[in-house]
Amino acid sequence: MRPIRLACGVAAALLATACAATGTTTTPTAAPQETAAPGYLAVADEALAEGGALNLQVHIDSGAATGYDPQLADVATTWQLLSLSYETLVTVGPDFSVQPLLAEKWDTPDDRTYVFHLREGVRFSNGRAMTADDVVGSLKRLLASKGVWAGQLGPVGEVVKDGDDRVKVTLKEPYTPFLAALANVPAAILPMKEIDDKSVDLATTLLGTGPYVVENHRQDVSWTFKRNDKYWNQGKPAADTLNITIAPEEAARIAALQNGSAALATLGNVDSETMLAGAKDVKAVTQATTDFYYLMLNSLKPGSKLADPKVRQAINIALDAKQIAEVALGGKGKPTAITPAGLPGACDPAALPSASKSLDEAKQLLAEAGAQNLSFTLTIFNTEPAPAVAQVIQQNLQQAGITVKIEQMDEASWSGKVYGKAPAEFDAALSWFAGYADPGMVTKWWNPETAGFNAGFMKPDPELSKLIDAANKQPQDRAEALAGVCARADADAQMIPLVTRPATVAYRGDQLSPSLYATEGYGNVLRLVADARVKKTR
């Protein structure tokens, strides 16, 4: 239980009101954050020499469960590592705009057809040139896979070569998020010749077109990446070597920054920026993300009161997302609907039906359901700031007469309990979704028949699924359609969106000049690491 006490202690002044269950909120004053350029927290100084070794620390090595096949990767921490070696046809800019990557450009002769013009000179790290066959094969393999990302590509009808340097994708019907879905790691272009002749096993070997290749990996200990000398983008990567240490304890990552053994580290405690303010040469910044925390209520557990929609709606009404954002996240998160706050076209969480309901109405719903003395266990992982978020949830629901016991686990144990069995055995659980780069993408996870991973604790809502599909067919002016999706999901309340999940990144200004987006759509703080310039290597 130490991390819970730490979270409460770090934010003691803020949590004092929440922990006293008075219903009042202390609003912290967030210091304005400098931006290096529009859309960027930091821009690497290209005047610095290339070369050198960059030492990083992250909290988890999440690939062991499924191997390192990018098409099966379904968590953002895996995407971070795989993005160092794999690339996609397109990528996203700092403003969520879709930009060229392995495709130099694309044509859209109608709203169902995309013709991608492939970049010349692209090679896999084994030296073989990327071909249109690799692109066609990669997309077909993804669509036929059991990976969750296949559903994000939408209703793809056909993928074919259109000459030696073009690939045409035809959709069965318009699907607005298609290009944004191609920008994430599971849609990476793979070495299909080597896969087909079985000379490479993607579960154990990374063979992509990206800036780095793996030299050494010790699960849960470290990764070493070396420059891909065959990389097509001249001048990148800037650093010759990336040494990534897996340091689960936040205190260890902070200590590494302070003593200089790490040039950059990802942090979870929202107060880390303040805690590191006096550390010589260390700069901490908060990267906004479209990722968001959400509460899962298991409606499939036999005998559970959470199967009753009135009970779930009461819980949704009693939750105070604004208070969670202000208290647990230090004012750095934002309340959100299922379309992530921060994305153009996202729903206004203040306009959700539950937002206009009172605590008395929540208690009335519980009474109608015969659940006045409801109690359940909330299962969470111990990575900060999840414990602090859970504590505010606990206090919110106490106001409605609901007793919540918090069960805290390491991330692997938590994942096994939440996703390991169908039907799942937990009562309620806290997690977060990567928010992606289009407001319609994450809504697909509210259809368990598409998502799959939540089929053990969530019933399909056919009307909600129909609204999601209809909203994503509209090429533009989706606001009204997405508002309908948000309202229906708000009433369903099997997965309740809470607040966006900011990322804290700290780096040594005397060792490193990094590039960082101000807002990240795919939970990938290492997205621009190939741009980073090493000032000196300890």
Side-chain angles (χ1 to χ4, degrees):
M1 298 298 287
R2 181 183 59 79
I4 286 181
R5 289 201 296 273
L6 177 61
C8 208
V10 168
L14 305 178
L15 283 173
T17 52
C19 292
T22 61
T24 59
T25 303
T26 299
T27 302
T29 302
Q33 191 161 250
E34 295 179 3
T35 55
Y40 289 82
L41 292 173
V43 177
D45 182 359
E46 294 186 357
L48 294 169
E50 298 176 8
L54 174 54
N55 300 317
L56 314 176
Q57 292 205 359
V58 300
H59 77 286
I60 187 171
D61 190 352
S62 59
T66 58
Y68 289 98
D69 186 333
Q71 295 187 340
L72 299 180
D74 57 4
V75 296
T77 45
T78 304
W79 299 340
Q80 290 177 14
L81 290 167
L82 298 187
S83 70
L84 301 173
S85 292
Y86 287 108
E87 293 181 312
T88 46
L89 285 176
V90 298
T91 187
V92 291
D95 56 353
F96 305 111
S97 63
V98 179
Q99 299 181 353
L101 192 58
L102 295 182
E104 282 188 315
K105 61 179 182 178
W106 54 92
D107 305 319
T108 52
D110 57 59
D111 59 6
R112 295 185 302 155
T113 306
Y114 296 80
V115 180
F116 296 96
H117 299 247
L118 306 183
R119 187 180 299 279
E120 293 183 2
V122 175
R123 293 184 177 276
F124 293 99
S125 57
N126 65 356
R128 183 176 67 79
M130 183 193 77
T131 68
D133 289 325
D134 291 307
V135 177
V136 171
S138 297
L139 296 181
K140 286 185 173 179
R141 184 177 183 269
L142 175 58
L143 291 166
S145 76
K146 296 181 179 178
V148 298
W149 207 254
Q152 288 289 352
L153 294 191
V156 176
E158 186 178 53
V159 183
V160 296
K161 284 175 61 174
D162 186 25
D164 290 337
D165 59 353
R166 293 191 300 272
V167 170
K168 183 169 73 173
V169 180
T170 306
L171 306 181
K172 297 174 183 175
E173 55 191 28
Y175 182 65
T176 304
F178 176 65
L179 285 175
L182 285 181
N184 198 22
V185 167
I189 304 307
L190 307 176
M192 292 308 300
K193 175 181 177 296
E194 288 79 359
I195 293 172
D196 290 340
D197 67 20
K198 302 187 186 307
S199 61
V200 65
D201 179 0
L202 295 190
T204 58
T205 303
L206 279 65
L207 178 55
T209 63
Y212 286 103
V213 295
V214 177
E215 182 178 76
N216 186 42
H217 174 217
R218 296 173 63 198
Q219 179 65 37
D220 297 324
V221 177
S222 65
W223 287 80
T224 300
F225 288 87
K226 292 289 188 182
R227 167 196 293 274
N228 175 9
D229 291 331
K230 312 293 191 308
Y231 193 46
W232 58 269
N233 196 346
Q234 296 296 311
K236 293 186 180 180
D240 291 332
T241 304
L242 299 181
N243 299 312
I244 300 179
T245 299
I246 310 301
E249 293 292 333
E250 175 122 339
R253 279 172 273 137
I254 289 177
L257 286 164
Q258 291 172 323
N259 66 30
S261 57
L264 181 147
T266 58
L267 302 173
N269 192 320
V270 295
D271 292 322
S272 295
E273 189 173 345
T274 302
M275 295 164 65
L276 285 166
K280 187 174 184 297
D281 295 322
V282 176
K283 184 176 179 61
V285 295
T286 299
Q287 185 179 53
T289 76
T290 60
D291 307 347
F292 61 84
Y293 287 102
Y294 65 99
L295 179 64
M296 294 173 269
L297 300 178
N298 187 351
S299 62
L300 299 183
K301 185 176 181 180
S304 173
K305 285 289 186 183
L306 299 176
D308 190 327
K310 289 184 178 180
V311 174
R312 299 198 303 270
Q313 290 162 13
I315 291 171
N316 195 11
I317 292 168
L319 291 171
D320 187 341
K322 184 177 179 183
Q323 190 176 61
I324 295 170
E326 292 174 343
V327 175
L329 302 181
K332 296 173 180 175
K334 296 179 180 177
T336 184
I338 75 169
T339 53
L343 278 177
C347 303
D348 179 2
L352 296 174
S354 64
S356 61
K357 306 289 187 183
S358 69
L359 205 55
D360 287 341
E361 289 174 279
K363 292 178 180 177
Q364 180 61 37
L365 287 170
L366 291 172
E368 292 173 9
Q372 295 95 325
N373 298 312
L374 179 66
S375 64
F376 63 83
T377 298
L378 173 58
T379 303
I380 68 169
F381 43 80
N382 57 13
T383 305
E384 297 179 34
V389 173
Q391 285 189 328
V392 182
I393 291 173
Q394 184 183 51
Q395 296 299 326
N396 284 166
L397 298 188
Q398 186 178 9
Q399 304 298 310
I402 300 170
T403 301
V404 176
K405 175 187 175 183
I406 298 173
E407 177 186 38
Q408 187 169 287
M409 299 177 164
D410 63 82
E411 292 199 23
S413 299
W414 170 90
S415 180
K417 182 163 186 175
V418 174
Y419 302 120
K421 292 183 179 179
E425 296 178 345
F426 68 90
D427 294 330
L430 179 70
S431 187
W432 60 272
F433 281 132
Y436 315 135
D438 181 280
M441 291 180 70
V442 74
T443 64
K444 294 179 73 73
W445 299 153
W446 263 256
N447 180 353
E449 293 176 330
T450 297
F453 64 85
N454 48 5
F457 59 84
M458 184 177 184
K459 292 180 182 177
D461 178 343
E463 181 60 27
L464 175 56
S465 299
K466 188 183 302 181
L467 291 171
I468 292 168
D469 291 341
N472 284 335
K473 286 179 187 176
Q474 294 190 220
Q476 54 189 1
D477 299 328
R478 288 187 290 166
E480 184 177 351
L482 289 173
V485 173
C486 292
R488 182 74 186 190
D490 186 64
D492 179 64
Q494 293 185 80
M495 295 198 298
I496 303 173
L498 299 171
V499 293
T500 56
R501 172 183 170 275
T504 301
V505 184
Y507 61 92
R508 298 275 310 201
D510 60 336
Q511 296 186 17
L512 175 68
S513 176
S515 286
L516 292 165
Y517 282 166
T519 305
E520 166 60 39
Y522 288 98
N524 187 358
V525 297
L526 303 183
R527 177 181 296 279
L528 304 179
V529 75
D531 295 355
R533 300 287 173 134
V534 177
K535 293 183 177 177
K536 66 177 181 180
T537 301
R538 173 171 169 159

